[in-house]
Structure formats: C-alpha cells, structure tokens
Amino acid sequence: MRILLLSSCLFVGGIANAANDLPGGGIDPEALSRHVRILASDEFEGRAPASNGEQRTVDYLVEEFRKAGLQPGGKDGSWVQEVPLVRATVKGDVTATLSLGGKPQPLVNGEDITLQSLRSQGVVDQKDLPLVFIGYGIDAPERHWDDYKGVDLAGKIAVVLINDADFEADAPGAFDGRAVTYYGRWTYKFEEAARRGAAGVLIVHETAPAAYPWATVKASGTSPLFDIERSPQEAQAAHTPLRGWVQRTLAERIFSAAGLDFEAEKRKAMQADFRPVALGDARLSAKFNVERERVVSRNVVAKLEGATHPQESVIFSAHWDAFGIGQPDASGQTVRHGAMDNATGVASVLELGRVFAAGPRPQRSLYFLALTAEEKGLLGASYYAAHPLAPLETTAAVLNIEMFSPDGENADIATWGMGRVSLENDVDRVAKARGRRWSPDPNLEAGFFYRADHFAFARKGVPAITVGAGLDKLDGGVAAGRALRDAYFAKCYHQPCDAWSPQWDGRGLAADTLLVYDLGLELANSRRWPVWDKGAEFEAAREASDTARR
C-alpha cells in the first residue's frame, strides 16, 4: 500500500541541480533512489539483523563503498565491525490470562498485550502476579521526582504510562513541557523497573504520547528481541522476567475493576507527590518459551583518511536494519521493507562516501558508518561508541541521517529533538547558504532525540545530531508536509507499506544529502570543534576530554 503523496519528475533543475558542482558529478538523485529500491526490495527480506537479509545488506554496502574508492574502516583491513548480540525469540504461543474480581479472562498477544523477555531463561512462567500502578515510572532526583516512593515490587508487575508527566500537563513542569526527556522513553521505563526488582513491567500504550500507533508496538513486540551480550547475572539485573505493553482500553478495564478512573489516576501521576496504587485484585499470569542464541551482527565501516589531521575524524552514519519479516498486513505482505526508515539514510551515506572519495582528501579523516540494530535499541551505535574505531575524544562530530523524504523538495531541513549543540546552528547556516532554512524538530513530544543512533555518541560527549526531512514542501507548504508525515507514521511506520515506489521523487533526497555534505566538508577541513551548549546534559562528558583536542 502506498500512502505518501508522490509526484513524477525528472531529476533536473531546482535545489538538487546545485549538487552537480560537487566532485564525482555531485549528489545523484537517481543513485539515491536506486540504493533505496535495492535495499528495500523483497530480496533483502526487511534487513533484520542476523538474517539472510543482513548478509545481502552487508555485501551490498561493502561493494558500494569499495566501488566508491573508500578504504575499509574496521580492524585489520576489514569492512565490518562485529557486534556480538543475544537474540531472544518467543517460540510458540503466548498464554496470558488476566484475573479481575476472581474471574480469569484470556488475553491475545499482539492484540490486547505484547509480552517478551530478555532474561536468561528458556521459559517464562509467571502466575497470579499483582499489578501496581507506578505513574510514569520515573526516578529523577535532579528533577525532584520519584514515582516509586520506595514501594516493594518483588513479585509484582509495574504498570507505567508512556512519555513523561509534562506531556499532557496544563503547564510545563519538571520535564521541560512537551519536549520529551529520556525519562519518557520506553527503554528507560523497562530499565528502571528492573533496577527496582519488579517481576514485570507493562507500559500503557496511547498513540499521542507514544508517537506511534498500536500497530507499531505489535510489529516490534512480536519480533525477536536483541540485547548486548551479558552474563546471566548481568542479564538478571538489567531485565525484568516479563515485560511488554498493554492497550489503553484494557488498562481502563483494569483500573475500573479496582474502583479507579484511569484518567483521574493519570492526572494524579502528573504531580510529584503521586504515590503508587495497587490495582485491586488484578492478577496477570503468562507462560511462553524463549529461545536465546548468541548472534553476531555487523556495522559496516568505510574510511577516507585525512591528509593533514588523520587522527581527527567526522562520522556520517545511518542504520541499515529494519524489521525483517513479520505478520501479514491487510494485503498479505510480510516483508517490512524499511524504505524511508532507513534505506534513505543509508543511501545518503553511500552517496556521501562516493562524492567525498571523488574529491580532494580532507584534512580530517571521514568515517561512513552503516549501523546495525538501531531498531533494537541503538545497539550497533552503542557498541561502536563503546569500542570506537577512531578515538571519540578527537571525533569532531557525528552527522546521523534518518528518514529523508521521497516526496520532493522542502524549503527546510530538520534535526531530531532539541540537542542544544552548536551543530544545529551549523545546519541552519549551511541551509541558508543554499537558499533553505533549518527548522527545529516540530514534534519534540515524540522524543526523537533519544530514538536515533546519534544519541549513543552524544551520551559519550561527542557532538552529534540526526538530520531528517523538513515539513515545508515546495509544493504544498507545511500543511502538505505535515499531512504526509502524519499519514506515514499512522499507517506505514515499521510496516510493510514503507516501501520504495517508481514514483519516488529523488530531488528531495539529493537536496537534503547536499546539506549534510556541505556541513561535513566544512567540518572535515576545519580546526574548529563543535560544542554542546552551556548547561546541556552532555557538556560535562565532552569537557572531560578537552585536553585531547588542544
């Protein structure tokens, strides 16, 4: 199914034509579209890590980087960085039963609830676990916030809300208004519940605060989970025995059976004095088998060594993985192609590598990373950040690319989230030089800053941003751009219909890639070091390595 508005075009004129002044004939819209078509084809099986689709993807990327004239960027002349992971797959049926008022009722996994586990266990068998509402499930001492209030969660399931307490509040409070903090991310909520010793955690899904529909939760929640390698003791400390999501309608029934109003309790959870609430006699039982296996996925790494300051680097990155093969959609399609998310980003990195390799060698070294397992929790990027192939202290910047638009040119370009980093001003400046402009993330409440690979580098202090498409379409303006974006996230995000079409308009892909080139070229030939804004959360981590850049 194709839901994006498209227009047929020739790749000539306009913003994209300016790219032809670059080495190698410039950014090629047709090449960008071709890369997406191939990477998002059925043959690549949705590019799941540790699958046949991964092998095809890695082979393709290595060959394209080699043809461009780049060098392998891994250890010992390798094009890849191995990323050891554990894959946990639910085998067979999930049996789940909710008891309310002593009356058991079966739950359908993927419809009422999604259940998984990353614990070191072959069988999950939890019986009659009581449910406790923990509000937003946040403990943030620096914000004077603790939803847990010392409650003992041993043998209990924590029920928590997605996002954070400011999202639907009447006025900004402890969590920066509607701009989501890391505390609002689902990853944090699972981690904190594990630290609290809970037997399980269920996140209540709501489309607006989650920024995606239940179909997205179902697609990821019924797919294999991946985790970094941990010892059994580490896995026990890092993960609850049971975790998942629950539909809001089911949560409302649970609250009602306990004599509580869901909306009223949610309003209470928006206040710092909220206290956990036992959800009556609600009990959850669940049983399913989990197959755990060690797998090795791969980051693909290409390099262009700097001419005068090779020990310094600039990274261009995008994640190559998507969601593989899943349950059939309404048309029977099972391959979740990941065309816009994120074959577009990978295509841009390939084109950037080709164009840079065709030109003069830059002063600083350039790394072109195609990262694995972003959709599984930024695992490939996190592994690289923990085992960098170039020192992070002298990595000037990470320019990550996500979800460029196939629907023609925009007047603007965006970055994800509110990074509070000088690179945002740099994007604005290079955009204006091309007759365009930078737009701050129009959807801060979605928490995108914490949902892309640049975040793994930012946590280490490296100035990093994710660049994405703007909303102001040259044909139709912001209204048209917003309609396209909303339709995509409502219907095709992580779904089979995120697919390439012959009607894709590659001029927008080329124009956005051109701006990343402009900024990357400037950084590559500069003695300047991008910085975090004063008081930004990653400023201290960068300052700790200041002496390495003097």
Side-chain angles (χ1 to χ4, degrees), residues 101 129 174 188 194 249 342 350 358 377 431:
L129 298 181
Y188 166 80
T249 52
N342 187 35
L350 290 174

Side-chain angles (χ1 to χ4, degrees), residues 29-160:
E30 292 179 320
L32 289 166
S33 187
R34 181 180 69 253
H35 290 317
V36 176
R37 174 178 58 80
I38 293 170
L39 290 166
S41 65
D42 283 354
E43 181 184 358
F44 281 63
E45 299 179 0
R47 304 191 308 281
S51 70
N52 292 332
E54 165 163 355
Q55 187 61 56
R56 292 188 180 96
T57 301
V58 170
D59 290 346
Y60 181 79
L61 296 176
V62 168
E63 180 60 23
E64 291 300 311
F65 281 137
R66 182 185 288 115
K67 282 166 42 180
L70 296 167
Q71 303 121 28
K75 291 182 178 180
D76 302 322
S78 174
W79 288 96
V80 301
Q81 179 187 46
E82 292 190 342
V83 181
L85 301 171
V86 172
R87 177 170 58 196
T89 306
V90 173
K91 288 296 185 180
D93 294 332
V94 173
T95 302
T97 304
L98 176 68
S99 176
L100 297 176
K103 297 179 180 179
Q105 48 188 289
L107 302 177
V108 179
N109 194 52
E111 300 300 330
D112 305 306
I113 200 169
T114 65
L115 294 176
Q116 305 167 315
S117 181
L118 275 171
R119 273 286 186 95
S120 297
Q121 54 191 4
V123 179
V124 174
D125 190 3
Q126 302 286 348
K127 295 180 180 178
D128 295 325
L129 298 181
L131 277 57
V132 182
F133 179 51
I134 311 292
Y136 288 90
I138 295 172
D139 179 23
E142 77 283 5
R143 295 173 187 261
H144 309 290
W145 197 279
D146 176 16
D147 284 330
Y148 287 87
K149 304 294 192 301
V151 67
D152 182 6
L153 287 174
K156 300 173 185 176
I157 290 182
V159 177
V160 300

